[in-house]
Amino acid sequence: MATARIVPSASSGPVNKIVTARDAVRLIRSGDTVAIGGFGGVGFAEEIIHTIADAHAASEQDAATFGRPSDLTLFFGVGQGRPTEGRGVNRLAQPGLVRRVIGAHFNFIPTIQQLVIGNQVEAYNLPLGTLCHLYRDIAAGKPGHVSRIGLGTFVDPRLGGGKLNARTTEDLVRLMEIDGEEYLFYKTIPINVGIIRGTTADPNGNITLEREALTNETLSLAMAAHNSGGLVIAQVERIAEANTLNPRQVKIPGVLVDCIVVATDEKSQWQTSATPYNPAYSGEMRVPMTSLAPLPMSERKVIARRAAMELRPNSVVNLGVGMPEGVAAVVAEEKASDLMTLTAEPGVIGGVPAGGRNFGAATNAQAVIDMPYQFDFYDGGGLDVAFLGLAQADREGNINVSKFGPRLAGAGGFIDISSNAKKVVFCGTHTAGDLEVAIREGKLLIERDGKHKKFIEQVEHRTFSGPVAARQGKEVLYITERAVFRLTREGLELIEVAPGVDVQRDVIDRMAFAPIVRAPRLMDARIFRPEPMGLRDDLLRLPFDARFAYDEERNTLFMNFSDEHVKSQELIDRYCDKIRDIVEPLGHKVYAVVNYDGWEVDRELEDRYLEAVKAMGEKYFLGVTRFSSSAFMRAKLGERLDSRGVAPHIFESEGEATEAVRETLGHGG
């Protein structure tokens, strides 16, 4: 018969729940499922975790007095640790202490990685957002969490069900169908012990988080443990008198909390893994934002510049760690930061997300919400675009960022973010290992190629499913320093190459498979020049896709080129591609009405533009009318079109141009 836990009763009126870390840990029993809150080093109750490790390593005499937890199941989001210092969850990698781990991200806990890869513990990798949502479902007494997140990835039972080694056999994820649609069902499990962190507590267990950089999954985790009949242990920085905390600031009500531990080691209460305390991270103050130093011209800047061209005004954006972080620097250099809202998955909205060991925090955030709610927003399609890393890709467009041989990074929030963002842009170098490039006179030179191919026949671990995204019609790009690919139903298509690059030698031969190659164009020349690209002006213009509208009733394609400045071959190609994408599926030619108000074309591109106009007109249009309020533009454009044998039909207003189309239709045109 199991020994009952004797803890201060949360329902027996005001009691003093303040205990030492050793007394709190003594209540943890062997075989317990222990949920650990925090995002990396943010909001992590390190002193309690270290005490668990010390208790397990204690002598038999001490164990008889203080208890010796063993065979624990660890349940966590982003593995909490400081690997270079051997701190955090890394200390729990002791023989007999851990039986099973269920986590989203393992990068900061290499000692736990070793247990998993060595087949010494059972192990599962679940998406971060799904794991956060499981806490809420456990709290609500539900049997599991139903979601499309993970379909077609390594979490899908058909591809492993999130299991990480041969020792792991129990199914925590199963495939199900609702109204003909596939879903994944993630099984809930009771939480015996929840370990959380706050800033201030009172003796009744009420907790505020005013000095924390994030609120994380703290409330959901505490509720899950409490409603499972489990124990909630909270580490805090300080104690307030009973009934003095502002109820609006209390994030964890005392009815959920069993033990309060006041940290005795200052480092165990650091705001992030790298920062003891930054008032800008907690929102205590806002700081002037000095301009970020521009990135030096390199492969990193080339990738970030090309990726930034996928931004649209007022976009809600998620930037992954590593290569995608360069997008923020490019946008700052282009003075366009105010035209988008950056977010980070643990709950930050707005401001400037921190990088490195401070990742998760943000300076001057507009809002910080609980992590499960952030993933509600992401899962429902709230992200306009996500810029994520590219470690491995294959011919189907699958991506691996989670597992490479003996190295286990884990998916983190990658699966959640990439599954439902409206557009996904993967960013990374074309090859890996000692790659050296140079940019000279507007061209990319591969001085020494990387030792390892990143575009391989089949990824080892599928963190993103190309086939699933293709069936959904999702816009997906893969951007390297020398090429841009897009996802199609047939696989990856090469659509752009850098100037100075040989397509066969530098792109295709450095891949393990041949991509689809139709007519790749050159990447925008501005990317390879030292001066800013003029991105802000581009963003403030009418969005490209919004310039095209097909009226089925009139069989007319309306094209709005107003205030557009054609200064690259890429834009001409985009015009042609868009017309082709709209008209070809119709199976017949259409009429066109084109707005040329304020339109310009660089002199060196004039001939190529007019040739494209003639080619598109002959192939796709029954007739074209154009209009501009500028008499000079009407005369100039009309003369040039006429010289190419293209009937100008240029009018002063849209009404006149549209009426001319109607007359053509009325005559059976």
Side-chain angles (χ1 to χ4, degrees):
M1 188 174 183
T3 304
R5 304 179 204 267
I6 302 174
V7 297
S9 171
S11 59
S12 59
V15 292
N16 191 335
K17 300 182 180 180
I18 303 168
V19 300
T20 66
R22 178 57 72 92
D23 285 340
V25 167
R26 185 160 51 91
L27 300 169
I28 300 175
R29 299 187 295 218
S30 293
D32 275 349
T33 295
V34 180
I36 306 169
F39 186 87
V42 182
F44 170 50
E46 188 173 65
E47 187 160 327
I48 296 171
I49 297 302
H50 288 182
T51 304
I52 294 174
D54 293 342
H56 182 76
S59 66
E60 289 188 13
Q61 181 178 353
D62 286 344
T65 305
F66 298 110
R68 174 182 271 172
S70 61
D71 293 326
L72 301 180
T73 292
L74 304 183
F75 200 92
F76 55 83
V78 175
Q80 304 89 348
R82 304 177 201 180
T84 57
E85 303 171 44
R87 296 178 68 99
V89 175
N90 288 293
R91 291 200 183 175
L92 301 183
Q94 300 179 30
L97 177 53
V98 178
R99 179 181 70 86
R100 171 186 281 189
V101 294
I102 303 170
H105 196 259
F106 296 79
N107 213 32
F108 306 133
I109 47 175
T111 60
I112 300 296
Q113 287 184 45
Q114 291 167 16
L115 293 181
V116 174
I117 298 299
N119 205 34
Q120 298 176 58
V121 297
E122 298 173 27
Y124 301 83
N125 186 192
L126 301 183
L128 178 59
T130 298
L131 195 146
C132 290
H133 290 152
L134 274 171
Y135 286 134
R136 295 197 312 206
D137 292 327
I138 293 167
K142 297 178 181 178
H145 178 70
V146 178
S147 175
R148 288 193 179 93
I149 302 299
L151 283 169
T153 73
F154 70 85
V155 183
D156 191 315
R158 294 166 292 191
L159 296 171
K163 302 184 188 78
L164 293 175
N165 57 28
R167 189 186 187 103
T168 308
T169 59
E170 182 184 352
D171 293 328
L172 296 187
V173 187
R174 73 172 187 258
L175 184 69
M176 63 185 300
E177 192 173 289
I178 301 175
D179 295 335
E181 295 284 336
E182 288 186 342
Y183 290 84
L184 295 182
F185 178 83
Y186 296 85
K187 181 182 176 182
T188 53
I189 58 175
I191 303 296
N192 305 118
V193 181
I195 298 175
I196 61 174
R197 194 178 91 179
T199 301
T200 307
D202 68 13
N204 299 327
N206 297 300
I207 301 171
T208 60
L209 307 179
E210 67 271 18
R211 284 170 62 87
E212 300 292 341
L214 300 166
T215 59
N216 289 318
E217 73 281 63
T218 311
L219 176 59
S220 298
L221 189 159
M223 200 172 290
H226 179 273
N227 287 2
S228 296
L231 173 76
V232 177
I233 304 172
Q235 174 184 309
V236 298
E237 181 178 335
R238 57 199 181 193
I239 299 295
E241 290 186 15
N243 304 315
T244 61
L245 295 176
N246 184 333
R248 291 281 187 172
Q249 294 181 349
V250 171
K251 189 65 180 176
I252 314 298
V255 294
L256 300 179
V257 179
D258 299 290
C259 299
I260 296 290
V261 175
V262 180
T264 59
D265 176 4
E266 287 185 3
K267 202 163 188 178
S268 73
Q269 195 72 21
W270 274 24
Q271 194 179 35
T272 74
S273 291
T275 303
Y277 183 69
N278 181 340
Y281 289 167
S282 65
E284 182 181 337
M285 62 180 290
R286 297 183 71 81
V287 297
M289 295 304 297
T290 56
S291 298
L292 291 172
L295 290 174
M297 185 56 82
S298 64
E299 68 274 17
R300 178 183 174 87
K301 185 165 189 173
V302 167
I303 293 167
R305 277 183 156 185
R306 177 58 188 87
M309 290 180 168
E310 297 304 313
L311 288 166
R312 298 294 177 263
N314 304 312
S315 291
V316 179
V317 179
N318 177 278
L319 294 180
V321 295
M323 193 67 73
E325 291 177 318
V327 175
V330 165
V331 171
E333 181 184 1
E334 300 283 342
K335 296 181 171 50
S337 298
D338 60 316
L339 300 180
M340 65 179 183
T341 300
L342 294 175
T343 67
E345 54 266 35
V348 169
I349 298 174
V352 181
R357 292 172 63 199
N358 291 314
F359 184 69
T363 299
N364 296 352
Q366 298 173 21
V368 178
I369 64 177
D370 285 5
M371 185 156 39
Y373 291 107
Q374 184 81 307
F375 279 107
D376 286 338
F377 177 68
Y378 285 2
D379 291 356
L383 281 175
D384 294 304
V385 59
F387 298 92
L388 300 171
L390 193 167
Q392 281 183 348
D394 65 24
R395 66 166 64 246
E396 291 185 318
N398 300 311
I399 291 284
N400 174 26
V401 298
S402 48
K403 187 174 183 291
F404 310 90
R407 180 171 170 246
L408 172 64
F414 193 98
I415 296 176
D416 313 85
I417 294 165
S418 61
S419 291
N420 287 311
K422 296 180 180 71
K423 177 191 290 187
V424 183
V425 180
F426 295 113
C427 307
T429 55
H430 198 78
T431 58
D434 299 324
L435 171 68
E436 288 186 10
V437 305
I439 293 95
R440 298 194 188 99
E441 298 179 355
K443 294 182 179 180
L444 180 76
L445 305 178
I446 312 295
E447 298 194 327
R448 182 173 66 190
D449 220 329
K451 298 176 182 176
H452 309 293
K453 294 178 180 178
K454 295 174 68 173
F455 289 85
I456 61 178
E457 186 64 35
Q458 185 174 12
V459 295
E460 175 184 348
H461 215 225
R462 193 182 294 185
T463 329
F464 171 81
S465 174
V468 169
R471 287 196 298 271
Q472 294 171 342
K474 184 189 295 291
E475 186 176 0
V476 183
L477 295 179
Y478 306 73
I479 296 176
T480 78
E481 77 287 350
R482 67 189 77 174
V484 180
F485 303 86
R486 71 177 171 194
L487 180 65
T488 72
R489 286 181 176 267
E490 294 76 37
L492 291 191
E493 179 186 357
L494 176 64
I495 59 171
E496 297 178 28
V497 293
V501 163
D502 182 274
V503 173
Q504 186 65 46
R505 181 193 65 222
D506 298 323
V507 179
I508 298 175
D509 288 350
R510 301 302 298 161
M511 303 169 68
F513 61 91
I516 299 165
V517 181
R518 294 190 177 98
R521 57 181 176 265
L522 288 178
M523 294 167 69
D524 194 313
R526 295 175 294 167
I527 295 171
F528 303 91
R529 296 171 185 158
E531 67 272 12
M533 301 184 296
L535 181 65
R536 183 180 181 86
D537 289 341
D538 289 349
L539 289 172
L540 289 175
R541 293 192 183 96
L542 187 66
F544 183 79
D545 288 346
R547 293 180 179 274
F548 299 82
Y550 174 65
D551 185 327
E552 184 176 3
E553 184 178 346
R554 301 177 185 177
N555 189 34
T556 301
L557 177 61
F558 291 88
M559 293 178 280
N560 183 356
F561 295 167
S562 62
D563 298 318
E564 186 80 283
H565 185 174
V566 179
K567 46 190 174 182
S568 71
Q569 180 64 40
E570 181 196 23
L571 185 56
I572 298 173
D573 293 339
R574 287 184 73 192
Y575 283 159
C576 296
D577 288 345
K578 188 66 177 179
I579 293 167
R580 187 179 298 113
D581 290 346
I582 293 172
V583 180
E584 284 192 352
L586 299 175
H588 57 76
K589 290 186 176 183
V590 303
Y591 292 93
V593 176
V594 190
N595 178 358
Y596 276 105
D597 259 341
W599 179 86
E600 296 180 63
V601 60
D602 283 355
R603 183 177 296 277
E604 62 269 24
L605 294 170
E606 195 174 283
D607 288 342
R608 279 180 275 176
Y609 178 80
L610 292 171
E611 286 300 324
V613 168
K614 183 176 181 180
M616 290 292 105
E618 291 174 350
K619 187 170 184 179
Y620 295 113
F621 300 136
L622 295 167
V624 182
T625 58
R626 304 167 179 87
F627 67 92
S628 172
S629 57
S630 165
F632 176 75
M633 172 60 74
R634 291 198 301 274
K636 183 178 177 183
L637 183 60
E639 179 184 337
R640 291 175 182 173
L641 288 170
D642 190 54
S643 71
R644 288 293 192 284
V646 178
H649 299 310
I650 302 177
F651 298 89
E652 187 173 354
S653 69
E654 180 178 2
E656 291 175 348
T658 304
E659 185 60 33
V661 169
R662 287 200 189 103
E663 290 178 4
T664 305
L665 287 169
H667 287 93

